Amino acid sequence: MKIESPEDVIALANELEKSVYNTEHSNMDEEIQICNLDISVDIPARFEKHVPPTAINAIEDPVNDIMRMKLVFDCEAYTDTEKEKKNAEDRTFLVNRAYAENERRSDISPTRDALKNLIRHGKCAIKGPLWKASEYEEEPEKGKRESAEDYKDRLARWNLGQRKSFPFTIASMHPKSVLFDPSPEPKYAIEKVRKKAYEVADAYPNWDMGATKPFSEVDFIEYCDIEKRIIIVGKEPISIGNDKDGKKLPADFIDNLYGYVYYSRAYSGLGGNTPDGKAEDKAVGVIHMAKESLKAEARLVSVLDVATQLVAIPSLTYEEDAM
């Protein structure tokens, strides 16, 4: 399918949801329910159901174990020259700094969130690394009438600000939010979510909210392939930002200057490739494999509690009264 218009992007996203990822997404919805301890148990209405937190522990325990490890990234040199070895050291420093800064700045650890998705759903999605222009400021030049001392002070403030900022972002996305090209090596990806209007306006100041209320939800779609990208709010494309000269970018497809699809996915390995090639056969997590046992556990515990209240507790009370 050729992608040449915003309508093509919306149609492709809908087709992927309907024909490729429908069963995978249904599985994820059920897994979320189970992890929220929302399991249906058929017991008399006057009794409460009891769902043990087994599903939560099955995710949190391995995540906690992995998060105790110190992750260190190492970029190998492409050649044996001293220059390339130095470049490899610089790349290593940059990658480790990017990881550490994103962990520190995010309200929820991207690593922890990705691990939970990987264990719960058997699949995780990552967005980035992306350049965040608002976090970067060019080194200031000395003004014509500015004294050397004043420029030195201003440069020191700039250096301090640069140490506190970091212009690369990496985010963990819920795997249901990103529709990947189903090929082994995705040539495109589509982020499709619902966002609050104020979130879109904060991230993309060129978007005109118009009569949209700040806390109302809007459809948000971001498409990217190796050559181009676009953001659509509602059904209309928006301007992503400004160019290096401060000129507003067009509300349309723009060149993908990154040169790569900046969404990536990973699978847990509990699933695998099957002759049918279905997406849901790859995205298999521990909850999917244990869901029937988890439901049975909830039924057993709930029925045991009902039996205790109906039989054991009245008998104990009777014996105490008789004494």
Side-chain angles (χ1 to χ4, degrees):
M1 181 178 181
K2 222 172 181 182
I3 302 298
E4 297 179 334
S5 69
E7 290 76 19
D8 291 340
V9 173
I10 294 172
L12 177 59
N14 291 337
E15 186 61 28
L16 287 170
E17 282 187 317
K18 179 182 176 182
S19 303
V20 179
Y21 293 110
N22 55 332
T23 302
E24 178 187 292
H25 289 178
S26 295
N27 290 343
M28 289 180 181
D29 288 339
E30 185 179 18
E31 288 151 11
I32 290 171
Q33 268 192 312
I34 291 173
C35 290
N36 288 338
L37 307 185
D38 183 13
I39 297 177
S40 178
V41 179
D42 187 15
I43 56 174
R46 65 191 180 96
F47 296 99
E48 293 183 358
K49 69 177 180 181
H50 293 275
V51 182
T54 308
I56 298 174
N57 296 334
I59 296 169
E60 295 296 337
D61 288 349
V63 168
N64 289 336
D65 287 341
I66 296 170
M67 290 299 291
R68 290 190 187 98
M69 304 177 191
K70 183 180 179 181
L71 297 180
V72 178
F73 302 90
D74 183 37
C75 299
E76 294 184 6
Y78 301 132
T79 64
D80 290 333
T81 64
E82 291 301 317
K83 183 179 179 181
E84 175 53 26
K85 288 178 181 178
K86 177 63 170 62
N87 289 340
E89 289 178 4
D90 291 342
R91 289 195 298 271
T92 297
F93 172 80
L94 180 62
V95 171
N96 281 286
R97 172 82 189 278
Y99 170 76
E101 286 294 325
N102 276 274
E103 287 292 302
R104 184 176 67 83
R105 291 165 175 263
S106 301
D107 53 352
I108 297 176
S109 160
T111 304
R112 187 178 188 87
D113 191 62
L115 284 170
K116 289 175 74 170
N117 286 328
L118 202 58
I119 296 170
R120 175 173 53 204
H121 300 306
K123 181 180 180 181
C124 68
I126 302 294
K127 183 177 183 179
L130 294 176
W131 174 260
K132 190 175 181 181
S134 61
E135 289 283 328
Y136 178 77
E137 183 182 347
E138 293 283 353
E139 182 175 341
E141 296 181 358
K142 184 179 180 299
K144 291 181 179 180
R145 298 183 179 180
E146 187 176 25
S147 69
E149 192 65 30
D150 288 344
Y151 176 64
K152 183 179 178 181
D153 289 342
R154 191 157 63 89
L155 191 61
R157 288 195 298 272
W158 175 82
N159 277 316
L160 180 61
Q162 289 303 103
R163 284 199 294 271
K164 291 182 178 179
S165 64
F166 194 76
F168 296 100
T169 62
I170 303 170
S172 170
M173 311 289 295
H174 192 278
K176 189 178 174 182
S177 302
V178 186
L179 304 165
F180 289 93
D181 169 14
S183 304
E185 296 183 8
K187 298 178 178 63
Y188 64 82
I190 305 173
E191 178 185 345
K192 184 180 181 185
V193 293
R194 297 275 291 170
K195 289 189 175 186
K196 298 292 185 184
Y198 77 86
E199 292 180 282
V200 179
D202 285 348
Y204 305 98
N206 287 341
W207 178 54
D208 182 10
M209 287 178 58
T212 308
K213 295 180 179 179
F215 291 97
S216 61
E217 289 190 336
V218 294
D219 291 321
F220 178 93
I221 291 178
E222 181 169 354
Y223 169 91
C224 86
D225 57 34
I226 294 174
E227 297 178 349
K228 60 185 179 295
R229 62 192 187 114
I230 191 173
I231 290 178
I232 303 166
V233 179
K235 294 185 178 180
E236 299 297 325
I238 69 170
S239 171
I240 292 178
N242 301 327
D243 62 19
K244 62 181 180 179
D245 298 321
K247 185 179 178 182
K248 185 178 178 181
L249 293 171
D252 201 345
F253 288 102
I254 63 170
D255 291 339
N256 181 6
L257 300 180
Y258 295 105
Y260 56 83
V261 177
Y262 46 79
Y263 293 92
S264 56
R265 67 188 177 196
Y267 293 100
S268 65
L270 293 176
N273 293 309
T274 59
D276 295 332
K278 293 180 179 179
E280 61 269 22
D281 293 334
K282 293 182 181 179
V284 178
V286 297
I287 303 302
H288 181 77
M289 300 183 76
K291 65 179 182 180
E292 295 305 326
S293 297
L294 292 167
K295 291 176 184 178
E297 181 187 41
R299 289 194 298 269
L300 287 170
V301 172
S302 297
V303 169
L304 180 60
D305 180 67
V306 171
T308 301
Q309 293 185 60
L310 288 176
V311 180
I313 293 178
S315 298
L316 291 172
T317 304
Y318 175 78
E319 289 179 6
E320 286 178 0
D321 291 343
M323 293 174 63

